[in-house]
Amino acid sequence: MNVRTRLLGGLLFTVVLALPASSEIMQQPDAAAPQGPAPSGTQTTTLAPQSQPQGSAPLRVMVGKSLLINTTERLKRISITDDAIASARVITPTQILVHGKTPGEVSLLIWDELERSRSFDLRVDVDVSACADEERRVFPDEQITVTPSRAAIVLSGHVTTEDVAKRAGELASAYSPKVVNVLTFGPVGAQEVLLQVKFAEVDRSALTQLGINFISNGAGNTIGTITTGQYGGVGPINLSKSTQTSSTGESSTTNAGTQTINNVLNLFLFRPDLNFGVAIEALESKNLLQILAEPNLIALNGKEASFLAGGQFPFPIVQPGAGFTAVTISFKEFGVRLQFTPVIMPNGNIHLKVAPEVSTLDFANALTISGFTVPALSTRRAETEFELQDGQSFVIAGLMDNRVTDIYNKIPGLGDIPILGNFFRSKSLQKSNSELMVLCTVKRISPSAEQPATPKNPKPFLDDGKFDKPQK
């Protein structure tokens, strides 16, 4: 009985002593275990040998996914700085299996059998595979790239409109509360838009002038002029005195004057026997001006195109300093101008921003500075945005300019006399009416290898077969 008890106690002591040794062996990798293939859906990477320099790119694994790391040296032990972010265990003497738990970044340390240690940065990112599949399903025609950045989802690429970029960000927020949306939007590609423009301007003006100047150069020894001064035409009077002696010895003195007429206006009458004349201004004129320009402009999608049919006029600019005596010359454009920017929308419509302008030189309001005559500009300008379909047209009309200038001059008192007072009045009535219309047609076009037709010459060039050929 005593013998059995001693044998049982020795057996138990032997088993207890053997357990720690058995546990230590289970922690070590089996030297005879072969390297098996990675499980399905597990990423695989291979570390460089110990003798080669270590790369700066960190190891990356997604949350809920695993990463199989292959090494060229046999491993002895491994360690991870934070088990809450990722876990790692040795599968074979040259393989490590890392599993991502939560987004973050930790360090992975490994030791080989020679006790040489190596350290690697291990980054755990959020899983974006489901988000990327959903983005491609909802926006199949857009260039959207979904990448992880720790706990955030990064959206990059280029989309057509700002609304698509916003909706892509809202869709990604369903997979992660942190979304970094760096999508760009706008037109891309080499799509072209043709804008056919017709400028039509009609300018009408009418002028009526009426005035009378009375002139006397010495009738009844009276010299003088009567004028309202509105149209000028009367210069200075030169007085002369002459004495005549008759056969009886009597002398008489006569006063005479010389009147200079600078402008005889329309009608000039003079009676030499009465020394009396009259200059009448009765003018009526009508002017009609028509301007027509038909530019055709081609612009890339989203790019601005401009057109100018006119010229430039110089004007001086006084520079400060040196007593404001330094003057430089600059040039300003005038004429028929057009600027437009087309944008092709996702639905195929064409969004246009158009700014037509017509400007002319106005010498009536010109300035004279230091001997330079600087004309003013009479400008009509419009700027608008709208959306059209391919081939549709639009009209900008109603750019009208109506002006009436009525100037009356009269001699006080004499000009107020009924009926006869009209001889002591002058008037100038000017009316102007101008209207501008812009007609635009927009079309989507593409480059073509076909040679366009050249414009026809109003007069044909010399024909070799007919040149110097004698006529029959």
Side-chain angles (χ1 to χ4, degrees):
M1 191 67 176
N2 292 335
V3 176
R4 292 180 180 176
T5 303
R6 291 176 181 176
L7 291 175
L8 181 58
L11 181 60
L12 292 174
F13 180 74
T14 303
V15 173
V16 171
L17 291 178
L19 284 176
S22 176
S23 176
E24 184 177 357
I25 293 174
M26 293 297 295
Q27 292 179 2
Q28 296 294 332
D30 188 4
Q35 293 186 7
S40 178
T42 303
Q43 297 179 347
T44 304
T45 184
T46 302
L47 301 180
Q50 183 78 18
S51 60
Q52 296 183 6
Q54 181 178 340
S56 59
L59 303 175
R60 307 187 71 166
V61 63
M62 295 184 181
V63 176
K65 298 297 178 66
S66 298
L67 174 65
L68 183 62
I69 304 174
N70 297 319
T71 63
T72 56
E73 294 86 4
R74 294 175 64 86
L75 302 175
K76 184 175 182 181
R77 63 182 181 273
I78 62 174
S79 177
I80 281 187
T81 56
D82 192 352
D83 293 337
I85 296 178
S87 62
R89 64 190 183 95
V90 178
I91 303 301
T92 67
T94 58
Q95 286 185 328
I96 305 172
L97 183 63
V98 178
H99 183 74
K101 295 181 178 180
T102 58
E105 190 169 353
V106 295
S107 296
L108 172 64
L109 294 91
I110 62 175
W111 289 265
D112 59 9
E113 292 181 343
L114 300 179
E115 290 295 335
R116 294 178 300 182
S117 64
R118 300 175 66 183
S119 177
F120 300 91
D121 293 332
L122 177 63
R123 181 176 298 175
V124 181
D125 298 321
V126 65
D127 188 6
V128 297
S129 57
C131 179
D133 294 339
E134 190 67 15
E135 294 284 357
R136 285 192 294 268
R137 186 187 66 83
V138 178
F139 307 104
D141 298 329
E142 305 293 346
Q143 301 175 2
I144 302 177
T145 303
V146 183
T147 56
S149 179
R150 297 186 181 179
I153 295 178
V154 180
L155 300 180
S156 60
H158 190 88
V159 295
T160 54
T161 62
E162 183 179 4
D163 181 63
V164 174
K166 292 181 179 180
R167 289 191 293 144
E170 294 175 356
L171 180 61
S173 62
Y175 295 88
S176 176
K178 297 181 180 180
V179 177
V180 181
N181 193 344
V182 292
L183 288 171
T184 59
F185 58 89
V188 294
Q191 295 176 318
E192 297 177 348
V193 176
L194 171 64
L195 186 64
Q196 298 175 336
V197 186
K198 292 184 179 180
F199 286 89
E201 181 184 12
V202 178
D203 190 355
R204 306 179 183 90
S205 62
L207 176 65
T208 301
Q209 293 178 342
L210 180 61
I212 300 177
N213 292 336
F214 296 101
I215 305 168
S216 175
N217 61 349
N221 292 329
T222 301
I223 301 173
T225 60
I226 298 177
T227 176
T228 59
Q230 184 172 358
Y231 305 114
V234 178
I237 301 176
N238 297 322
L239 301 177
S240 63
K241 183 177 181 181
S242 61
T243 303
Q244 297 180 356
T245 303
S246 62
S247 58
T248 58
E250 295 180 356
S251 62
S252 61
T253 303
T254 302
N255 295 322
T258 302
Q259 177 71 57
T260 302
I261 305 298
N262 297 328
N263 181 14
V264 296
L265 304 180
N266 300 108
L267 184 61
F268 176 70
L269 302 175
F270 185 76
R271 287 287 302 270
D273 55 340
L274 299 178
N275 293 326
F276 183 77
V278 59
I280 301 176
E281 167 78 5
L283 178 64
E284 181 177 347
S285 63
K286 294 182 180 180
N287 299 324
L288 176 63
L289 174 65
Q290 291 182 347
I291 299 177
L292 180 63
E294 298 185 11
N296 293 335
L297 300 179
I298 298 178
L300 291 177
N301 186 16
K303 301 297 182 178
E304 181 180 300
S306 60
F307 165 83
L308 174 65
Q312 295 180 333
F313 70 94
F315 64 95
I317 299 179
V318 180
Q319 301 296 326
F324 293 94
T325 57
V327 179
T328 60
I329 302 298
S330 297
F331 291 85
K332 188 173 181 61
E333 297 177 344
F334 70 95
V336 179
R337 179 198 299 273
L338 174 67
Q339 292 178 335
F340 85 102
T341 304
V343 176
I344 300 177
M345 306 303 292
N347 58 359
N349 293 345
I350 302 175
H351 180 87
L352 281 180
K353 181 179 180 181
V354 183
E357 176 184 330
V358 175
S359 58
T360 57
L361 298 179
D362 185 6
F363 288 94
N365 298 318
L367 297 177
T368 302
I369 303 176
S370 301
F372 295 95
T373 300
V374 182
L377 282 179
S378 178
T379 306
R380 274 159 292 172
R381 180 187 301 113
E383 184 173 353
T384 181
E385 293 187 29
F386 49 87
E387 189 170 319
L388 294 175
Q389 295 181 359
D390 185 15
Q392 289 186 339
S393 302
F394 71 95
V395 177
I396 299 177
L399 300 177
M400 303 181 64
D401 185 9
N402 295 327
R403 300 185 184 185
V404 177
T405 304
D406 196 356
I407 301 176
Y408 282 87
N409 286 349
K410 68 178 181 178
I411 299 177
L414 297 178
D416 297 330
I417 300 175
I419 303 176
L420 295 179
N422 293 326
F423 293 100
F424 306 99
R425 300 175 189 170
S426 63
K427 70 175 182 178
S428 175
L429 178 62
Q430 182 176 2
K431 297 180 180 181
S432 63
N433 174 270
S434 60
E435 182 178 1
L436 174 65
M437 182 183 69
V438 182
L439 174 64
C440 300
T441 303
V442 60
K443 297 179 180 179
R444 293 182 59 177
I445 61 174
S446 58
S448 175
E450 183 179 356
Q451 184 177 2
T454 57
K456 295 182 179 180
N457 297 308
K459 195 171 184 179
F461 288 108
L462 296 177
D463 191 350
D464 295 337
K466 297 181 180 180
F467 185 65
D468 285 343
K469 184 177 180 180
Q471 297 182 357
K472 294 181 181 181

